[in-house]
Amino acid sequence: MTIEKTIYLDNAATTPVRGEVMARMLPFFGADFANPAAKYRFATNPWNAIEDSRMKIAALIGATDPTEIYFTSSGTEADNWAIRGVCNANPDKKHIVTTAFEHHAIMETCADMERNGYEVTYVLPNREGRINPDDVKAALRPDTAVVSVMYANNEIGSIQPIAEIGRVCRAAAVPFHTDAVQAVGHIHVDVISDYVDLLSLSAHKFYGPKGVGALYVRKGVKIAPIIFGGMQEGNKRAGTHNVPGIAAIGVAAECAALEIRDEIPCLTKLRDKLQAGILDKIPYTSVNGGNNRLPGNLNVSFRFVESEAILNLLDFKGVYASSGSACNADDLEASHVILALGLTHEEANGTVRFSLGKYTKESDIDFVLDVLPPIIEKLRNMSPLYEDFVGGGSK
Ligand code: PLP
């Protein structure tokens, strides 16, 4: 089989490593291989690379003090650490507030906390995928240890009222964590004006490598380590530093900070073209996530068809998209995100996420708009659900 095209529309799953970032990593696999924890001069370059990246990450998210940035192995680790670390530091408080449509890194951590005696309140989003800050406020209890609300949803891209939620938590003196893995590098994030106490991010979502992330912890917020061993990261997160990865995330952050302003309108324009074209050409189709979404996100429910079938036929055309979060691509259960919006299982099963990135071209969008309508038509013509619908005279 020859695939003539590669149209990558799964940038929410991961992004390619940009050239500048790759170049920055290479010396640390070669001449500058020393362990940054060593005290000799030979370890100066790796050490400086880490501290330089800490400053660049801090600058990207508006943190005033780089020592508030702790490097981790991933966004998943940062999420686990935020929840477990804050709870462990406050052992008398046994209640957590989060939402029903978080990434599995938060959902599964909370499920584990429940197995260990915690109570978790899952705030529901509205139909547009937005969390109401009043609902977060109503969920708070005197024994709430932490609130965790994602900055932007990974499947539907909806951006949350983080500053308002942050203000509610700050007023109640409850630590507020946000999983900003999908947001950082793509929209403006500012931990100070958003009243954020802890924030997770991940390099591979903004053109850095996989396997490196960070947790921002505001000065004064109590957090216990969850990984024990050496004294790295201020004695809070043990483990020899991933120097190439950490050097890389700094460059990725620096590039994002420089480019974000121009990139938002470009991506939004392309995404809106894809959205308008799909809605225009394909009936019985709806867009999830409301209007305030990540610039590159388009999540569409195609009625009467299965997303897996759509994705397979797109794959044959060289178009790569997904049915939800990449971590769950093997899980054929309907997405908990789409169900949390109140959509039916049938609507959830026909949902496809297109996520555009900085390398998406207008010709890619044109190509998708050419190949997608016949794919949906073909699948609907084989669909008993569609036959019933049409046969019932509802068309
Ligand atoms: N949180 C969100 C919102 C994500 O989208 C992802 C990855 O898809 C993660 C956390 C996990 O990040 P990582 O892949 O770095 O473990």
Side-chain angles (χ1 to χ4, degrees):
M1 179 182 64
T2 325
I3 295 175
E4 286 159 20
K5 281 189 178 286
T6 298
I7 295 182
Y8 182 71
L9 295 178
D10 202 14
N11 287 275
T14 196
T15 53
V17 177
R18 53 192 298 164
E20 309 88 313
V21 169
M22 194 115 64
R24 177 72 173 132
M25 296 175 80
L26 294 178
F28 303 105
F29 292 111
D32 282 327
F33 69 88
N35 188 325
K39 295 291 169 233
Y40 37 72
R41 276 179 304 146
F42 184 44
T44 307
N45 283 349
W47 174 266
N48 286 345
I50 292 171
E51 296 315 312
D52 183 57
S53 281
R54 216 184 290 287
M55 284 190 283
K56 287 173 174 155
I57 295 285
L60 181 64
I61 63 169
T64 47
D65 184 347
T67 66
E68 296 174 315
I69 307 298
Y70 297 88
F71 291 111
T72 63
S73 66
S74 58
T76 299
E77 185 194 323
D79 282 347
N80 271 260
W81 185 19
I83 301 288
R84 292 177 193 284
V86 171
C87 287
N88 290 350
N90 276 293
D92 296 339
K93 301 203 168 184
K94 296 286 185 203
H95 177 237
I96 297 167
V97 176
T98 188
T99 79
F101 73 159
E102 296 292 312
H103 186 270
H104 286 92
I106 292 291
M107 298 302 284
E108 294 304 318
T109 302
C110 287
D112 191 53
M113 298 303 279
E114 285 181 292
R115 288 190 288 273
N116 285 289
Y118 281 77
E119 275 183 69
V120 181
T121 303
Y122 297 92
V123 177
L124 277 173
N126 68 9
R127 181 87 181 191
E128 305 224 301
R130 194 176 154 91
I131 296 292
N132 184 341
D134 290 338
D135 293 344
V136 174
K137 190 174 180 179
L140 294 178
R141 302 191 331 204
D143 65 339
T144 304
V146 63
V147 171
S148 183
V149 177
M150 67 200 321
Y151 211 106
N153 185 273
N154 48 300
E155 293 189 28
I156 56 174
S158 56
I159 299 170
Q160 302 308 313
I162 289 299
E164 290 169 53
I165 297 170
R167 210 178 291 124
V168 163
C169 296
R170 190 66 58 86
V174 177
F176 174 45
H177 167 252
T178 183
D179 173 348
V181 165
Q182 290 289 336
V184 167
H186 300 288
I187 54 174
H188 299 285
V189 168
D190 187 301
V191 288
I192 305 290
S193 58
D194 286 338
Y195 300 93
V196 165
D197 295 312
L198 303 110
L199 176 147
S200 306
L201 58 92
S202 178
H204 75 104
K205 305 293 184 176
F206 56 100
Y207 310 100
K210 294 157 190 63
V212 58
L215 183 67
Y216 158 82
V217 184
R218 188 170 67 84
K219 272 238 142 58
V221 172
K222 285 203 288 174
I223 185 161
I226 59 165
I227 294 182
F228 295 88
M231 292 177 50
Q232 292 88 355
E233 293 299 283
N235 213 3
K236 289 224 169 75
R237 195 278 183 186
T240 301
H241 290 99
N242 166 8
V243 184
I246 294 172
I249 196 174
V251 180
E254 188 176 35
C255 294
L258 288 172
E259 294 169 8
I260 200 166
R261 220 181 63 188
D262 290 340
E263 200 159 292
I264 290 174
C266 285
L267 263 183
T268 306
K269 194 167 156 222
L270 280 183
R271 188 272 315 272
D272 287 350
K273 176 172 174 168
L274 181 60
Q275 174 170 328
I278 289 177
L279 292 178
D280 183 47
K281 292 180 173 206
I282 309 176
Y284 313 119
T285 296
S286 55
V287 171
N288 300 310
N291 291 327
N292 186 21
R293 307 200 309 274
L294 292 170
N297 173 283
L298 178 60
N299 183 294
V300 187
S301 292
F302 298 97
R303 290 196 60 200
F304 318 114
V305 285
E306 294 280 339
S307 54
E308 294 314 308
I310 304 171
L311 294 172
N312 280 340
L313 294 181
L314 282 174
D315 188 333
F316 280 118
K317 299 282 183 191
V319 177
Y320 306 109
S322 82
S323 56
S325 75
C327 324
N328 253 32
D330 290 339
D331 178 353
L332 292 182
E333 286 207 351
S335 146
H336 71 289
V337 172
I338 302 298
L339 294 181
L341 303 181
L343 271 71
T344 62
H345 272 82
E346 188 236 310
E347 286 164 317
N349 287 341
T351 295
V352 173
R353 176 186 70 184
F354 301 95
S355 47
L356 287 59
K358 70 187 302 84
Y359 304 113
T360 306
K361 300 187 290 294
E362 186 157 9
S363 56
D364 297 341
I365 302 301
D366 292 335
F367 185 77
V368 174
L369 289 175
D370 276 346
V371 299
L372 187 59
I375 286 177
I376 302 293
E377 194 183 349
K378 177 176 169 182
L379 292 173
R380 282 186 178 156
N381 287 338
M382 300 186 309
S383 155
L385 282 174
Y386 188 60
E387 200 182 311
D388 284 354
F389 178 75
V390 178
S394 325
K395 193 172 177 185

